[in-house]
Amino acid sequence: MTAPYILYGSPLSPFQRKAEAVLALKGLDYDCEAINIMAMPEWYLAISPLARIPALRDTSIAAEGPDGTIADSSAICGFLEKKCPAPAAYPEDPYLHGRALWLEEYADSAMAMAGGGGVFRPIIFAAMTGKEPDLDTARQTWNEKLPPLWDYLEAQLDGGTYFLGDTLSIADIAIAAQLMQTDLIVTPFDAAKWPALTAFLEAMNAHEIFQRNLAACQKMLAKMVPEKFDLNA
Ligand SMILES: N[C@@H](CCC(=O)N[C@@H](CS)C(=O)NCC(=O)O)C(=O)O
């Protein structure tokens, strides 16, 4: 039997990881359907005209075609929050809600560009096409572009467990999803320099809402990354 939701994409996408974590937080059952991002099929481009993964299908609306689908992880998470408000992924308080959206955007833009584009892609896309990993680019990004982003996050955490108050929110989910993109393939950043962020990542890695996605990623990466890369200069 088909699950009520279908997520089109790949578990290796940090944006899919964010959407999966929100589905899991809300206890929603979903199937994953793989999309090859190197050659997206026409039917998928009709759903996601910007040629991005993930996209979500609500099968109660339509079982095929663009109807019943939503592209973009932020749109997916906003939709899920409206449809299934509890447990909440977004703070109720207007200011905290705005802060959560800002931190989600920070993760989806700056962190994704550096961690995904500057570390994961040069290593894993090369491996996927049988090439040597571009460790020079990955090392430069890891040591020059990512530390200022981690500094900002360390200050935002201010020694706390979550980014906003004492409750998990979309801010934590989005930031963890991007931190995991490098953590899956690279040895940890310096815990002495970023202690709160290290503790945060460890807690998120152990959190139940990420387990299905992380298990799928580890399975897919096992052959390509038998041992994590040490990029620390
Ligand atoms: N704003 C989009 C970004 C999604 C995105 O950039 N996905 C990447 C994979 S992680 C993608 O589809 N890339 C396709 C490509 O580079 O051709 C979201 O939040 O879903």
Side-chain angles (χ1 to χ4, degrees), residues 35-57:
I35 299 296
N36 177 1
I37 66 164
M38 312 281 189
M40 289 186 183
E42 286 303 320
W43 67 264
Y44 183 72
L45 290 170
I47 289 171
S48 180
L50 298 181
R52 293 280 183 272
I53 57 167
L56 181 80
R57 176 180 297 286

Side-chain angles (χ1 to χ4, degrees), residues 13-15 18 37 40 51-54 72-74 108 121:
S13 160
F15 302 98
K18 180 177 75 165
I37 66 164
M40 289 186 183
R52 293 280 183 272
I53 57 167
D72 190 279
S73 66
S74 300
D108 289 0
R121 194 175 261 260

Side-chain angles (χ1 to χ4, degrees), residues 95-165:
Y95 175 64
L96 292 181
H97 187 92
R99 293 290 304 166
L101 296 182
W102 152 241
L103 289 168
E104 180 185 13
E105 173 58 20
Y106 183 86
D108 289 0
S109 56
M111 291 179 74
M113 199 180 293
V119 177
F120 190 87
R121 194 175 261 260
I123 294 177
I124 297 304
F125 276 42
M128 278 173 173
T129 50
K131 295 186 192 132
E132 280 300 307
D134 177 2
L135 290 178
D136 288 343
T137 299
R139 193 168 275 115
Q140 193 182 3
T141 308
W142 183 257
N143 291 292
E144 291 172 23
K145 295 203 175 132
L146 280 165
L149 301 183
W150 298 331
D151 286 344
Y152 178 75
L153 295 175
E154 183 74 21
Q156 291 298 307
L157 270 174
D158 196 20
T161 306
Y162 301 111
F163 278 90
L164 297 165

